[in-house]
Amino acid sequence: MADAAEQISTDLARLDQLRAEIGRHNTLYYGIDAPEITDAQYDELMRELRDLEARFPDLATEDSPTQTVGAPPSTGFAQVTHPVPLLSLGNAFDLEELAAWHRRAARLIGDEFEMVCELKFDGLAVAITYEDGRLATGATRGDGRVGEDVTENLRTIGSLPKEVGAEAPGRIEVRGEVMFPISEFESLNRWREEEGLAPYANPRNTAAGSLRQIDPSVTAGRPLQVFAYGLGYPQDGVGADTHLGTLGYLSDLGFSVSPNHRTVDTVGEADDFYREWLERREELDYACDGVVVKVNRLDYQRHLGHVGREPRWAVAYKFPAERRETVLIDIRFNVGRTGTINPYAVLEPVVISGATIRQATLHNEDNIRSRDLRRGDRVVVERAGEVIPQVIASLPEHRAGDPDEFEMPSECPSCGHGVVRPEGEAMSHCMNSGCPAQLTRLIEHFVSRGAMDIDGLGEKQVAVLLEKELIADAADIFRLQERREELVALERMGETSVSNLLGAIEASRSRPLARVLVALGIRLVGAEVASLLARRFRDMDGLIAASPEEMEAVPGIGPKIARSVADYFSDESNRDLVDRLRRAGVNLADADRAEPREQVLAGKKFVVTGRLSRFSRSEIQDMIKDLGGSVSGSVSKRTDFVVAGEDAGSKLAAALELEVKTLDEDAFLAMVDGPDAPGSPEL
Ligand code: IVH
């Protein structure tokens, strides 16, 4: 019995952890175009979360990553609410899963229905609205409901029609995928490497980054392309009765529609199309990560509808990660910003899904040993979802002689200091806090896009600034304007780049607190955790003064994170860095700094329902979270309070049935104004 209870509490903890983790990866992938894990790893996390949610349906929330798409829109652009949400697609990873999708659809529309197979482009989804034949707005997917207004950026794409003529009456919404051609991607990266800038991860992120430029003239300089694959909402007299007809209609209006599609009647034929493109995908100059199979008749599509965020009328039949053989020339090590010694493979260059791979991560010592990778081996390299390539196996049958088994270095490759692998940990660490490689990595991280985002400071520039002693730590970056002459004198610099760089540094002074927290490089503090901490403590001093217990009271912050943050600030040199940033005029407090609120709702679970008069839904949700509570989309026995506005329906009924306390807005306000407030219910 105790075991079962323990298991449940482990599962529940894992559920929260998965939501937070997936949320973080969503932000990395959709929000800042800098993924840290492969698509396959992401799919695995989503699968685990779905399984857990299926076992604990009471705990489903509206904002779970299984119910939402992508990440909320970033703040640099105006927001656009999609009249009809942009859905995601369910995945099938093998023929059996494709057949299962077909059976589910057949239950609703009968066994025999035609399908259209087309390519699944791995770019950035957009919805483009034309009013009376003219391009009016273009938006990214965002979280599926609200996206970013990128109209002006889309206008710069030459092949996208700006007018569609009289055949498109009233208002139509065209949906498609913005792509960055692979050939252009490779030449852009070659140029970036020559300039000492970090290469972009993959064409998808590059397309996203190019489209989401605040200055559309930057987008105009990028070779973007849009493939149209559907209409946003059906409208009488517009388009056709079938998906195939829609593709023809879009093409007639002047949109680029991929010619690589075909109608099929059976799952077997869909599989043939899939296999054909699995072979042929290298012919394409666009990243393609599978095939989309869609029910052809639009009336069937409407009848099938969607479940959660996924339509029943379409499925993504995903290509497996691509694998290639090559030679492992060398195993080398770099030193991470926290001193980890990270092994990586130097490979004989090999082209995998359109990108030339020269290096791959090897993760850690155990990974290398378990695969028995040795220098000179022929190896299999996998590149899943266009993200970090991995060496997955060696082919020892090709081994010449008996190369040495792999050994971790006992000294730091940068400073020569001793390397230690702490008991129970996977990574070895350089124990020298003054290690120059750690400092370099930390500064590279500090200026990177998810952190202070200082454009023009890439790896090479950081190395030069350190080498020339123009900076000795991150805070010195903000004193570079005093050394303008020396900067101009550097190779490849010059007046204009120096002005741009100093401008970018100036702009970064006002980044929100969460970004600064990310930039410090505290272990376990990524974007998600940083924004939770910033939201709760509002300014750096509040956070520095907080005890681990106070941090742990924030939902989403566990004991390990709290310990890591507290340890970081207990180190005098770190506090000194923060002081120097403060003196340099870096923002350390969020603008709407209110006094940190007492966590009067700590641990309490709320459901909000009905129409409220004093708050918008998101205002009251933010307020509950600010005060330490959490908000869920459905009422269960674990709910503490239901805040009900006008016309509250089934959730209020559920609350009454389950005897959960209900509050109107006034009672809610009285409660949060403090326990002494008259009429406040007891917590
Ligand atoms: S149809 C209801 N067709 O894949 C969703 N999507 O993983 C209908 N995508 O958000 C989407 N190629 O951005 C469709 N030929 C294609 C596609 C495609 C790429 C993207 C799209 C979607 C994502 C879902």
Side-chain angles (χ1 to χ4, degrees), residues 87-89 118-121 125 141 177 229 292 294 311:
L87 299 176
S88 179
L89 282 170
E118 58 192 43
L119 301 182
K120 183 171 187 307
F121 293 109
R141 173 163 69 175
E177 201 81 357
Y229 54 65
V292 186
K294 299 176 178 172

Side-chain angles (χ1 to χ4, degrees), residues 442-509:
L442 181 64
I443 295 177
E444 286 164 4
H445 167 79
F446 187 87
V447 302
S448 67
R449 292 181 64 194
M452 300 303 277
D453 192 10
I454 303 180
D455 218 18
L457 270 190
E459 284 180 24
K460 287 222 171 121
Q461 288 81 355
V462 169
V464 171
L465 294 178
L466 281 165
E467 187 200 316
K468 303 279 179 201
E469 296 181 359
L470 284 158
I471 57 173
D473 69 9
D476 286 342
I477 294 171
F478 298 97
R479 305 190 57 179
L480 280 173
Q481 77 273 19
E482 297 162 19
R483 309 189 68 170
R484 192 184 175 104
E485 296 302 304
E486 286 160 273
L487 285 173
V488 174
L490 292 177
E491 221 178 303
R492 288 184 201 261
M493 268 303 202
E495 285 289 349
T496 322
S497 355
V498 170
S499 296
N500 289 344
L501 175 60
L502 294 177
I505 293 173
E506 185 55 42
S508 78
R509 281 200 169 91

Side-chain angles (χ1 to χ4, degrees), residues 30 69 85-91 118-126 141 175-177 179 227-230 243 247 289-292 294 306 309-311 313-314 316 318:
Y30 295 104
V69 184
L86 271 71
L87 299 176
S88 179
L89 282 170
N91 290 325
E118 58 192 43
L119 301 182
K120 183 171 187 307
F121 293 109
D122 193 14
L124 182 74
V126 285
R141 173 163 69 175
R175 293 191 174 174
E177 201 81 357
M179 306 295 298
F227 284 118
Y229 54 65
H243 179 63
L247 293 180
D289 58 350
V291 159
V292 186
K294 299 176 178 172
H306 57 93
R309 62 179 200 162
E310 294 167 2
W313 51 265
K318 296 283 278 274

Side-chain angles (χ1 to χ4, degrees), residues 21 25 39 48 219 294 298 401 414 437 477 493 529 542 595 664:
E21 202 171 324
H25 290 303
D39 286 6
E48 196 187 338
T219 310
K294 299 176 178 172
L298 299 187
S414 166
I477 294 171
M493 268 303 202
V529 167
E595 279 301 300
D664 62 15

Side-chain angles (χ1 to χ4, degrees), residues 388 407 535:
I388 324 160
E407 292 282 350
R535 182 194 272 266

